[in-house]
Amino acid sequence: MSELVFVGTTGPGLQALEYAREAGHRTVLIHSPRHDFFLPDAQRARARELVDRVVEVDDVADTAGVLDALRAAGTDPAGIDAVLTTLHFSIVPTAHLAKALGLPGCDPDAILAAKDKARCRRVLDAEGIPNLGHAVGRDLPGVLAAADRLGYPVIVKPATGVGKVSTALARSAPDIEALFAAAGDAARTVDPGVAAELDGRFIVEEVAVGPLYSVEVACDGRTFTPLVVVRRKTGRDNPVLELGSTVPCGLPAEREREVGEYAVRVCRALGLGVGLFHVEVIGTAHGPRLIEVNPRVSGGAIPDLVTAATGRNLFAVLVDLFTGRPAPAAPFPPIAGASHSFITAARDCTVRDDLPDDWFDALRPRIHSGWTTVRPGDRLRRMDGNFDTYGVVRVVAEDAGTAERTCAGLMAEVEKTLGIPLTPVAAPSERTAR
Ligand SMILES: Nc1ncnc2c1ncn2[C@@H]1O[C@H](COP(=O)(O)OP(=O)(O)OP(=O)(O)O)[C@@H](O)[C@H]1O
Ligand SMILES: [Mg+2]
């Protein structure tokens, strides 16, 4: 039995709390309203049910304040075995807290190096790891100058961005001017917690051409194992948009191994320690190239997809790593093919008024799992980033190709049923940034 302190949780991360309870660990949840702005009330309530103790703090970044709050609630910091999180907005405070207590985790500086896309690319260059051309701009003239130096097309994104906020492919200077014109609106409309992540710097990058993958890398402090390579579905018209994923990734075994080993090299170079890391990579004609590292377990729909395709639960591995278990020795072998797509709108639109309330139930017998928030007469926003997602349709089949095709067929049906245009997905052969 270990005493585990979770710093906030995501919705999918409730599975880590469930597993910790089943495994007989004592659990404390540190809750700060500043950090859990995405969590629906029902999931927040469920998190409270699953843990042995909830400790309320105003700011999880105030390490001394968190330690005081733990003591006041009756948790002796000396008895804590691990501090961990599944929530992106808590990873830096979690690393500081673990360091203050001398517990396993990642050095805060390694976390900061991973989260800062510009610093991360400098680490790759210093270590001689194949990398994309990059430069930083702090304002519109700086970004335009950086793009001129690199040569168009380029990707422009906040150096510490998440969820595709203010991220775009720019084919020429006017595209960058348009991004900056919209960035002010984006900064005003995104949640303050997301806005707080941004520091005004933009990274300008060479465009990697090829399919997008993500790798879940596990580390027990010594061994790094690429647990699973996931193929991501991207937008046909806007390659920055992610529209779903498939496992297994469809690469020949040797190429899949190459992607996994590249992700491990990146994690090692950053000096990441105990934990699970979500590494995004594009498979170019010259080999894998890093898109970004999220120094935390994957969020969103990917963990459930991995469970459907491999029978393994990433959150269980996460808890095991933090309670001193070794990292799995090898990638998870697939037991099925699994694919999901997000319900997102190609443009601002309104769902038909005569849509039956239970429209999604008609799909249920033919899907593995899924959800939707779409109701008759809803106004949907054009998908600009991860926060404009109105549901998931997930299919499991004997192989990934069948799962992906079946999922695409069901999405065509969803499009017809709702009477709105869904965001078009690039065909596998077209999954390149153009
Ligand atoms: N240099 C690049 N070349 C090609 N495509 C890129 C590049 N950088 C980003 N992209 C595309 O844009 C997407 C968003 O970029 P990135 O992952 O860095 O942003 P993000 O906002 O942190 O995303 P999220 O938080 O949703 O994972 C990537 O998934 C990829 O599809
Ligand atoms: Mg990303």
Side-chain angles (χ1 to χ4, degrees):
M1 201 256 313
S2 298
E3 171 106 17
L4 305 180
V5 173
F6 288 84
V7 184
T9 183
T10 59
L14 292 175
Q15 293 173 50
L17 303 180
E18 279 163 4
Y19 176 78
R21 185 159 88 166
E22 279 163 26
H25 302 304
R26 273 190 61 78
T27 49
V28 178
L29 177 69
I30 296 184
H31 176 252
S32 153
R34 276 198 221 185
H35 287 78
D36 84 338
F37 43 88
F38 286 131
L39 211 57
D41 287 343
Q43 292 184 340
R44 195 173 296 125
R46 176 78 183 132
R48 286 170 182 278
E49 273 169 25
L50 285 169
V51 295
D52 295 301
R53 173 170 289 158
V54 180
V55 175
E56 296 290 344
V57 301
D58 179 44
D59 182 4
V60 295
D62 171 12
T63 303
V66 171
L67 290 174
D68 285 345
L70 282 165
R71 278 188 208 97
T75 295
D76 177 5
I80 297 171
D81 296 293
V83 182
L84 66 164
T85 191
T86 53
L87 180 62
H88 188 82
F89 305 99
S90 294
I91 43 186
V92 175
T94 300
H96 281 293
L97 194 56
K99 190 174 182 186
L101 293 172
L103 295 174
C106 289
D107 189 87
D109 197 53
I111 296 280
L112 290 171
K115 279 186 76 196
D116 180 335
K117 296 175 194 199
R119 203 176 144 195
C120 180
R121 291 217 181 274
R122 291 200 297 275
V123 170
L124 265 60
D125 287 341
E127 296 288 323
I129 297 175
N131 196 9
L132 297 173
H134 58 100
V136 168
R138 284 164 205 281
D139 50 19
L140 178 59
V143 169
L144 289 170
D148 275 337
R149 276 202 306 282
L150 282 175
Y152 289 93
V154 290
I155 296 277
V156 181
K157 53 192 183 183
T160 50
V162 281
K164 321 294 181 304
V165 173
S166 301
T167 297
L169 172 72
R171 294 181 177 85
S172 60
D175 288 344
I176 296 183
E177 284 155 9
L179 177 75
F180 268 72
D185 293 341
R188 274 191 298 280
T189 50
V190 294
D191 192 284
V194 176
E197 290 280 307
L198 309 178
D199 66 3
R201 288 176 305 136
F202 281 81
I203 183 166
V204 183
E205 296 181 351
E206 174 193 342
V207 177
V209 178
L212 177 68
Y213 301 97
S214 57
V215 189
E216 299 306 310
V217 176
C219 177
D220 57 17
R222 282 185 303 277
T223 307
F224 286 85
T225 306
L227 298 178
V228 56
V229 179
V230 177
R231 191 170 76 214
R232 314 293 289 267
K233 302 175 190 177
T234 49
R236 185 192 69 193
D237 305 327
N238 179 359
V240 161
L241 300 179
E242 284 167 31
L243 297 165
S245 296
T246 301
V247 178
C249 69
L251 283 171
E254 198 178 316
R255 296 279 313 285
E256 181 167 345
R257 205 161 40 242
E258 189 192 358
V259 170
E261 282 169 5
Y262 176 85
V264 164
R265 257 183 102 186
V266 169
C267 292
R268 271 190 201 284
L270 288 164
L272 294 171
V274 174
L276 274 186
F277 312 112
H278 176 75
V279 183
E280 296 177 345
V281 168
I282 285 186
T284 75
H286 311 289
R289 292 292 182 273
L290 181 71
I291 297 303
E292 65 155 344
V293 178
N294 287 140
R296 53 154 170 84
V297 61
S298 169
I302 287 179
D304 287 343
L305 187 76
V306 170
T307 302
T310 68
R312 301 292 302 271
N313 187 305
L314 290 171
F315 298 107
V317 175
L318 182 74
V319 170
D320 285 348
L321 288 170
F322 276 87
T323 52
R325 297 263 192 93
F332 296 160
I335 54 170
S339 185
H340 67 235
S341 288
F342 298 128
I343 300 175
T344 64
R347 54 177 162 75
D348 291 347
C349 55
T350 304
V351 177
R352 62 187 178 93
D353 278 326
D354 60 351
L355 179 74
D357 275 332
D358 59 353
W359 72 273
F360 201 72
D361 290 341
L363 285 180
R364 288 215 181 267
R366 290 172 292 151
I367 66 176
H368 169 270
S369 48
W371 57 269
T372 187
T373 58
V374 178
R375 318 261 309 156
D378 274 1
R379 289 202 53 78
L380 306 187
R381 270 168 48 94
R382 181 189 73 184
M383 188 198 203
D384 283 327
N386 302 4
F387 307 114
D388 312 311
T389 299
Y390 300 101
V392 173
V393 170
R394 185 176 295 110
V395 172
V396 173
E398 57 278 16
D399 60 70
T402 308
E404 195 161 307
R405 277 191 302 278
T406 310
C407 190
L410 290 168
M411 292 305 284
E413 198 178 312
V414 167
E415 186 164 47
K416 246 195 203 146
T417 307
L418 299 181
I420 58 152
L422 298 183
T423 315
V425 180
S429 58
E430 294 172 357
R431 237 167 251 162
T432 55
R434 280 155 298 141

